């Protein structure tokens, strides 16, 4: 059996509550078979995250802290995509994850480091504070414009002028002068 290993240069980061994908891509050297495929995702503390062999998921082997939070891309297996989708990450999920793939003739390992940041309060986040300030500024400008236009409309209506301006020429006058064509 030949052994292929990838180093732990891959770092995936996310915020608490998000979903993240831990990559594990292999290039098979032989014909693919679900039945001959063994995939194990575990942490550096030997906690089983996800296990697949004999053509099926082995959920009884999965650690409780990962139950209902992991997915593999089953339809992507033949293409060599054995990546792990981890839902609702927690800061406690931070660490090194190892993907072990065994086929009839080959063995692959790949390590990924997951960094999970705690939730960021929108009002303490500098970018969010700038966005909130921009929204307040735009709202204020729009409200000022609406008030200005209403006052301007009222001031026109209270000038005491009851006579309306009549157009200089009616359509009939234009027809007589030849400026409007008849249909």
């Amino acid at each position: 059996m030949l052994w292929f290993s990838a180093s732990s240069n891959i770092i995936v980061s996310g915020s608490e509550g998000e979903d993240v994908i831990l990559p594990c891509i292999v290039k098979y050297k032989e014909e693919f078979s679900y039945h001959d495929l063994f995939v194990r995702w575990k942490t550096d503390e030997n906690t089983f995250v996800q296990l697949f062999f004999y053509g099926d998921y082995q959920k009884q082997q999965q650690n409780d802290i990962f139950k209902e939070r992991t997915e593999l891309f089953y339809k992507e297996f033949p293409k060599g995509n054995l990546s792990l989708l981890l839902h609702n990450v927690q800061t406690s999920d931070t660490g090194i994850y190892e993907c072990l793939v065994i086929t009839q003739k080959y063995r692959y390992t790949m390590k990924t480091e997951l960094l999970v940041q705690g939730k960021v309060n929108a009002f303490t986040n500098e970018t969010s504070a700038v966005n909130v300030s921009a929204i307040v500024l735009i709202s204020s400008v729009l409200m000022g414009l609406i008030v200005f236009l209403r006052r301007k409309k009222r001031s026109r209506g209270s000038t005491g002028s009851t006579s309306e301006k009549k157009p200089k020429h009616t359509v009939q006058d234009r027809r007589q002068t030849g400026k409007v064509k008849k249909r």
Side-chain angles (χ1 to χ4, degrees), residues 16-44:
E16 199 170 53
E18 292 181 339
D19 296 349
V20 296
I21 295 177
L22 305 179
C24 183
I25 308 295
V26 299
K27 187 171 183 178
Y28 301 115
K29 305 286 184 189
E30 73 268 19
E31 188 174 320
F32 175 80
S33 165
Y34 281 103
H35 188 72
D36 295 332
L37 181 67
F38 175 92
V39 180
R40 181 192 69 204
W41 275 94
K42 69 176 187 98
T43 67
D44 57 346

mmCIF file of all heavy atoms in Angstrom, residues 16-44:
data_model
loop_
_atom_site.group_PDB
_atom_site.id
_atom_site.type_symbol
_atom_site.label_atom_id
_atom_site.label_comp_id
_atom_site.label_asym_id
_atom_site.label_seq_id
_atom_site.Cartn_x
_atom_site.Cartn_y
_atom_site.Cartn_z
ATOM 1 N N GLU A 16 -18.249 31.738 15.266
ATOM 2 C CA GLU A 16 -19.164 30.873 15.998
ATOM 3 C C GLU A 16 -20.562 30.944 15.375
ATOM 4 O O GLU A 16 -21.051 32.019 15.049
ATOM 5 C CB GLU A 16 -19.204 31.308 17.458
ATOM 6 C CG GLU A 16 -19.719 30.272 18.396
ATOM 7 C CD GLU A 16 -19.494 30.686 19.846
ATOM 8 O OE1 GLU A 16 -19.902 31.803 20.229
ATOM 9 O OE2 GLU A 16 -18.901 29.890 20.584
ATOM 10 N N GLY A 17 -21.158 29.760 15.146
ATOM 11 C CA GLY A 17 -22.495 29.692 14.580
ATOM 12 C C GLY A 17 -22.521 29.507 13.069
ATOM 13 O O GLY A 17 -23.550 29.162 12.504
ATOM 14 N N GLU A 18 -21.389 29.718 12.399
ATOM 15 C CA GLU A 18 -21.327 29.560 10.951
ATOM 16 C C GLU A 18 -21.085 28.104 10.573
ATOM 17 O O GLU A 18 -20.745 27.286 11.413
ATOM 18 C CB GLU A 18 -20.175 30.399 10.369
ATOM 19 C CG GLU A 18 -20.367 31.880 10.450
ATOM 20 C CD GLU A 18 -19.199 32.646 9.834
ATOM 21 O OE1 GLU A 18 -18.087 32.092 9.698
ATOM 22 O OE2 GLU A 18 -19.408 33.821 9.501
ATOM 23 N N ASP A 19 -21.244 27.828 9.273
ATOM 24 C CA ASP A 19 -20.879 26.531 8.705
ATOM 25 C C ASP A 19 -19.538 26.699 7.999
ATOM 26 O O ASP A 19 -19.301 27.727 7.369
ATOM 27 C CB ASP A 19 -21.923 26.065 7.680
ATOM 28 C CG ASP A 19 -23.285 25.826 8.307
ATOM 29 O OD1 ASP A 19 -23.396 25.805 9.538
ATOM 30 O OD2 ASP A 19 -24.248 25.659 7.538
ATOM 31 N N VAL A 20 -18.668 25.711 8.118
ATOM 32 C CA VAL A 20 -17.363 25.761 7.443
ATOM 33 C C VAL A 20 -17.126 24.434 6.718
ATOM 34 O O VAL A 20 -17.690 23.403 7.081
ATOM 35 C CB VAL A 20 -16.191 26.027 8.422
ATOM 36 C CG1 VAL A 20 -16.317 27.389 9.071
ATOM 37 C CG2 VAL A 20 -16.074 24.951 9.466
ATOM 38 N N ILE A 21 -16.278 24.492 5.699
ATOM 39 C CA ILE A 21 -15.883 23.283 4.972
ATOM 40 C C ILE A 21 -14.405 23.050 5.211
ATOM 41 O O ILE A 21 -13.580 23.924 4.961
ATOM 42 C CB ILE A 21 -16.163 23.418 3.461
ATOM 43 C CG1 ILE A 21 -17.673 23.529 3.216
ATOM 44 C CG2 ILE A 21 -15.577 22.229 2.704
ATOM 45 C CD1 ILE A 21 -18.047 23.738 1.762
ATOM 46 N N LEU A 22 -14.103 21.861 5.705
ATOM 47 C CA LEU A 22 -12.714 21.440 5.879
ATOM 48 C C LEU A 22 -12.366 20.601 4.653
ATOM 49 O O LEU A 22 -12.968 19.551 4.428
ATOM 50 C CB LEU A 22 -12.548 20.623 7.166
ATOM 51 C CG LEU A 22 -13.023 21.301 8.451
ATOM 52 C CD1 LEU A 22 -12.821 20.385 9.643
ATOM 53 C CD2 LEU A 22 -12.330 22.618 8.667
ATOM 54 N N PRO A 23 -11.416 21.066 3.838
ATOM 55 C CA PRO A 23 -11.153 20.382 2.573
ATOM 56 C C PRO A 23 -10.365 19.089 2.721
ATOM 57 O O PRO A 23 -9.500 18.963 3.585
ATOM 58 C CB PRO A 23 -10.332 21.416 1.790
ATOM 59 C CG PRO A 23 -9.666 22.235 2.835
ATOM 60 C CD PRO A 23 -10.612 22.268 4.014
ATOM 61 N N CYS A 24 -10.721 18.135 1.868
ATOM 62 C CA CYS A 24 -9.966 16.887 1.738
ATOM 63 C C CYS A 24 -10.196 16.407 0.316
ATOM 64 O O CYS A 24 -11.248 15.851 -0.004
ATOM 65 C CB CYS A 24 -10.440 15.855 2.757
ATOM 66 S SG CYS A 24 -9.465 14.319 2.702
ATOM 67 N N ILE A 25 -9.220 16.660 -0.531
ATOM 68 C CA ILE A 25 -9.318 16.316 -1.950
ATOM 69 C C ILE A 25 -8.201 15.330 -2.277
ATOM 70 O O ILE A 25 -7.044 15.571 -1.953
ATOM 71 C CB ILE A 25 -9.161 17.573 -2.842
ATOM 72 C CG1 ILE A 25 -10.117 18.691 -2.404
ATOM 73 C CG2 ILE A 25 -9.341 17.220 -4.309
ATOM 74 C CD1 ILE A 25 -11.583 18.386 -2.571
ATOM 75 N N VAL A 26 -8.579 14.223 -2.895
ATOM 76 C CA VAL A 26 -7.589 13.217 -3.281
ATOM 77 C C VAL A 26 -7.740 12.920 -4.765
ATOM 78 O O VAL A 26 -8.795 13.162 -5.359
ATOM 79 C CB VAL A 26 -7.725 11.905 -2.471
ATOM 80 C CG1 VAL A 26 -7.517 12.158 -0.991
ATOM 81 C CG2 VAL A 26 -9.051 11.241 -2.714
ATOM 82 N N LYS A 27 -6.683 12.413 -5.346
ATOM 83 C CA LYS A 27 -6.715 11.966 -6.732
ATOM 84 C C LYS A 27 -6.486 10.459 -6.712
ATOM 85 O O LYS A 27 -5.407 9.994 -6.360
ATOM 86 C CB LYS A 27 -5.637 12.673 -7.561
ATOM 87 C CG LYS A 27 -5.747 12.367 -9.019
ATOM 88 C CD LYS A 27 -4.810 13.235 -9.837
ATOM 89 C CE LYS A 27 -5.015 12.921 -11.307
ATOM 90 N NZ LYS A 27 -4.187 13.737 -12.151
ATOM 91 N N TYR A 28 -7.538 9.741 -7.063
ATOM 92 C CA TYR A 28 -7.448 8.285 -7.011
ATOM 93 C C TYR A 28 -6.494 7.760 -8.089
ATOM 94 O O TYR A 28 -6.475 8.256 -9.208
ATOM 95 C CB TYR A 28 -8.825 7.650 -7.227
ATOM 96 C CG TYR A 28 -9.856 8.081 -6.203
ATOM 97 C CD1 TYR A 28 -10.964 8.810 -6.594
ATOM 98 C CD2 TYR A 28 -9.711 7.753 -4.865
ATOM 99 C CE1 TYR A 28 -11.919 9.208 -5.668
ATOM 100 C CE2 TYR A 28 -10.656 8.152 -3.930
ATOM 101 C CZ TYR A 28 -11.758 8.879 -4.335
ATOM 102 O OH TYR A 28 -12.694 9.267 -3.416
ATOM 103 N N LYS A 29 -5.736 6.753 -7.722
ATOM 104 C CA LYS A 29 -4.804 6.105 -8.658
ATOM 105 C C LYS A 29 -5.408 4.841 -9.249
ATOM 106 O O LYS A 29 -4.802 4.197 -10.073
ATOM 107 C CB LYS A 29 -3.486 5.756 -7.948
ATOM 108 C CG LYS A 29 -2.823 6.923 -7.262
ATOM 109 C CD LYS A 29 -2.204 7.852 -8.258
ATOM 110 C CE LYS A 29 -1.464 8.963 -7.527
ATOM 111 N NZ LYS A 29 -1.022 10.009 -8.394
ATOM 112 N N GLU A 30 -6.606 4.485 -8.777
ATOM 113 C CA GLU A 30 -7.279 3.286 -9.274
ATOM 114 C C GLU A 30 -8.756 3.615 -9.479
ATOM 115 O O GLU A 30 -9.205 4.703 -9.127
ATOM 116 C CB GLU A 30 -7.109 2.106 -8.310
ATOM 117 C CG GLU A 30 -7.930 2.214 -7.042
ATOM 118 C CD GLU A 30 -7.209 2.889 -5.873
ATOM 119 O OE1 GLU A 30 -6.215 3.593 -6.061
ATOM 120 O OE2 GLU A 30 -7.664 2.709 -4.758
ATOM 121 N N GLU A 31 -9.512 2.693 -10.015
ATOM 122 C CA GLU A 31 -10.938 2.902 -10.241
ATOM 123 C C GLU A 31 -11.655 3.086 -8.898
ATOM 124 O O GLU A 31 -11.387 2.375 -7.930
ATOM 125 C CB GLU A 31 -11.527 1.694 -10.990
ATOM 126 C CG GLU A 31 -12.949 1.913 -11.434
ATOM 127 C CD GLU A 31 -13.450 0.769 -12.301
ATOM 128 O OE1 GLU A 31 -12.675 0.265 -13.146
ATOM 129 O OE2 GLU A 31 -14.614 0.388 -12.099
ATOM 130 N N PHE A 32 -12.576 4.052 -8.851
ATOM 131 C CA PHE A 32 -13.277 4.371 -7.605
ATOM 132 C C PHE A 32 -14.359 3.341 -7.288
ATOM 133 O O PHE A 32 -15.063 2.860 -8.171
ATOM 134 C CB PHE A 32 -13.920 5.762 -7.700
ATOM 135 C CG PHE A 32 -14.757 6.090 -6.509
ATOM 136 C CD1 PHE A 32 -14.164 6.527 -5.339
ATOM 137 C CD2 PHE A 32 -16.134 5.924 -6.533
ATOM 138 C CE1 PHE A 32 -14.932 6.801 -4.211
ATOM 139 C CE2 PHE A 32 -16.904 6.196 -5.418
ATOM 140 C CZ PHE A 32 -16.300 6.643 -4.257
ATOM 141 N N SER A 33 -14.501 3.030 -5.996
ATOM 142 C CA SER A 33 -15.570 2.148 -5.524
ATOM 143 C C SER A 33 -15.989 2.623 -4.137
ATOM 144 O O SER A 33 -15.145 2.749 -3.235
ATOM 145 C CB SER A 33 -15.076 0.704 -5.447
ATOM 146 O OG SER A 33 -15.978 -0.072 -4.690
ATOM 147 N N TYR A 34 -17.294 2.913 -3.953
ATOM 148 C CA TYR A 34 -17.784 3.305 -2.629
ATOM 149 C C TYR A 34 -17.505 2.210 -1.600
ATOM 150 O O TYR A 34 -17.141 2.497 -0.463
ATOM 151 C CB TYR A 34 -19.305 3.563 -2.667
ATOM 152 C CG TYR A 34 -19.687 4.907 -3.233
ATOM 153 C CD1 TYR A 34 -20.176 5.025 -4.524
ATOM 154 C CD2 TYR A 34 -19.590 6.059 -2.454
ATOM 155 C CE1 TYR A 34 -20.549 6.261 -5.039
ATOM 156 C CE2 TYR A 34 -19.961 7.297 -2.961
ATOM 157 C CZ TYR A 34 -20.442 7.391 -4.249
ATOM 158 O OH TYR A 34 -20.803 8.613 -4.755
ATOM 159 N N HIS A 35 -17.666 0.964 -2.015
ATOM 160 C CA HIS A 35 -17.502 -0.157 -1.091
ATOM 161 C C HIS A 35 -16.053 -0.307 -0.605
ATOM 162 O O HIS A 35 -15.809 -0.738 0.525
ATOM 163 C CB HIS A 35 -17.985 -1.459 -1.730
ATOM 164 C CG HIS A 35 -18.014 -2.598 -0.773
ATOM 165 N ND1 HIS A 35 -18.951 -2.699 0.235
ATOM 166 C CD2 HIS A 35 -17.203 -3.677 -0.632
ATOM 167 C CE1 HIS A 35 -18.712 -3.779 0.945
ATOM 168 N NE2 HIS A 35 -17.667 -4.403 0.445
ATOM 169 N N ASP A 36 -15.096 0.084 -1.447
ATOM 170 C CA ASP A 36 -13.681 -0.055 -1.081
ATOM 171 C C ASP A 36 -13.104 1.208 -0.433
ATOM 172 O O ASP A 36 -11.909 1.270 -0.178
ATOM 173 C CB ASP A 36 -12.850 -0.392 -2.321
ATOM 174 C CG ASP A 36 -13.213 -1.754 -2.897
ATOM 175 O OD1 ASP A 36 -13.668 -2.626 -2.123
ATOM 176 O OD2 ASP A 36 -13.070 -1.937 -4.120
ATOM 177 N N LEU A 37 -13.954 2.184 -0.165
ATOM 178 C CA LEU A 37 -13.489 3.470 0.360
ATOM 179 C C LEU A 37 -13.649 3.536 1.880
ATOM 180 O O LEU A 37 -14.698 3.189 2.429
ATOM 181 C CB LEU A 37 -14.304 4.606 -0.286
ATOM 182 C CG LEU A 37 -13.949 6.024 0.124
ATOM 183 C CD1 LEU A 37 -12.550 6.395 -0.379
ATOM 184 C CD2 LEU A 37 -14.984 6.987 -0.440
ATOM 185 N N PHE A 38 -12.597 4.013 2.545
ATOM 186 C CA PHE A 38 -12.622 4.263 3.980
ATOM 187 C C PHE A 38 -12.264 5.726 4.176
ATOM 188 O O PHE A 38 -11.230 6.197 3.696
ATOM 189 C CB PHE A 38 -11.581 3.376 4.690
ATOM 190 C CG PHE A 38 -11.443 3.657 6.168
ATOM 191 C CD1 PHE A 38 -12.197 2.951 7.093
ATOM 192 C CD2 PHE A 38 -10.562 4.626 6.620
ATOM 193 C CE1 PHE A 38 -12.063 3.205 8.458
ATOM 194 C CE2 PHE A 38 -10.423 4.880 7.972
ATOM 195 C CZ PHE A 38 -11.176 4.175 8.894
ATOM 196 N N VAL A 39 -13.135 6.470 4.864
ATOM 197 C CA VAL A 39 -12.878 7.887 5.152
ATOM 198 C C VAL A 39 -13.088 8.105 6.643
ATOM 199 O O VAL A 39 -14.137 7.761 7.189
ATOM 200 C CB VAL A 39 -13.840 8.821 4.367
ATOM 201 C CG1 VAL A 39 -13.537 10.283 4.686
ATOM 202 C CG2 VAL A 39 -13.769 8.560 2.883
ATOM 203 N N ARG A 40 -12.085 8.698 7.276
ATOM 204 C CA ARG A 40 -12.201 9.009 8.700
ATOM 205 C C ARG A 40 -11.753 10.448 8.936
ATOM 206 O O ARG A 40 -10.644 10.830 8.574
ATOM 207 C CB ARG A 40 -11.333 8.082 9.548
ATOM 208 C CG ARG A 40 -11.479 8.395 11.053
ATOM 209 C CD ARG A 40 -10.445 7.705 11.892
ATOM 210 N NE ARG A 40 -9.133 8.302 11.602
ATOM 211 C CZ ARG A 40 -7.967 7.670 11.798
ATOM 212 N NH1 ARG A 40 -7.936 6.446 12.232
ATOM 213 N NH2 ARG A 40 -6.829 8.277 11.523
ATOM 214 N N TRP A 41 -12.627 11.233 9.523
ATOM 215 C CA TRP A 41 -12.276 12.570 9.982
ATOM 216 C C TRP A 41 -12.180 12.504 11.500
ATOM 217 O O TRP A 41 -13.081 12.005 12.169
ATOM 218 C CB TRP A 41 -13.361 13.582 9.595
ATOM 219 C CG TRP A 41 -13.207 14.135 8.219
ATOM 220 C CD1 TRP A 41 -13.791 13.668 7.081
ATOM 221 C CD2 TRP A 41 -12.423 15.264 7.837
ATOM 222 N NE1 TRP A 41 -13.421 14.436 6.010
ATOM 223 C CE2 TRP A 41 -12.584 15.421 6.451
ATOM 224 C CE3 TRP A 41 -11.600 16.154 8.529
ATOM 225 C CZ2 TRP A 41 -11.955 16.445 5.741
ATOM 226 C CZ3 TRP A 41 -10.972 17.164 7.834
ATOM 227 C CH2 TRP A 41 -11.148 17.306 6.452
ATOM 228 N N LYS A 42 -11.054 12.996 12.045
ATOM 229 C CA LYS A 42 -10.893 13.023 13.502
ATOM 230 C C LYS A 42 -10.129 14.280 13.897
ATOM 231 O O LYS A 42 -9.476 14.917 13.070
ATOM 232 C CB LYS A 42 -10.168 11.775 14.005
ATOM 233 C CG LYS A 42 -8.708 11.705 13.617
ATOM 234 C CD LYS A 42 -8.039 10.488 14.225
ATOM 235 C CE LYS A 42 -6.555 10.519 13.960
ATOM 236 N NZ LYS A 42 -5.753 11.019 15.042
ATOM 237 N N THR A 43 -10.223 14.614 15.160
ATOM 238 C CA THR A 43 -9.469 15.757 15.670
ATOM 239 C C THR A 43 -8.082 15.284 16.088
ATOM 240 O O THR A 43 -7.817 14.077 16.152
ATOM 241 C CB THR A 43 -10.166 16.400 16.895
ATOM 242 O OG1 THR A 43 -10.132 15.469 17.974
ATOM 243 C CG2 THR A 43 -11.599 16.797 16.575
ATOM 244 N N ASP A 44 -7.232 16.239 16.415
ATOM 245 C CA ASP A 44 -5.885 15.874 16.880
ATOM 246 C C ASP A 44 -5.929 15.213 18.257
ATOM 247 O O ASP A 44 -4.944 14.667 18.721
ATOM 248 C CB ASP A 44 -4.954 17.097 16.877
ATOM 249 C CG ASP A 44 -5.463 18.249 17.711
ATOM 250 O OD1 ASP A 44 -6.652 18.241 18.098
ATOM 251 O OD2 ASP A 44 -4.679 19.185 17.964
#
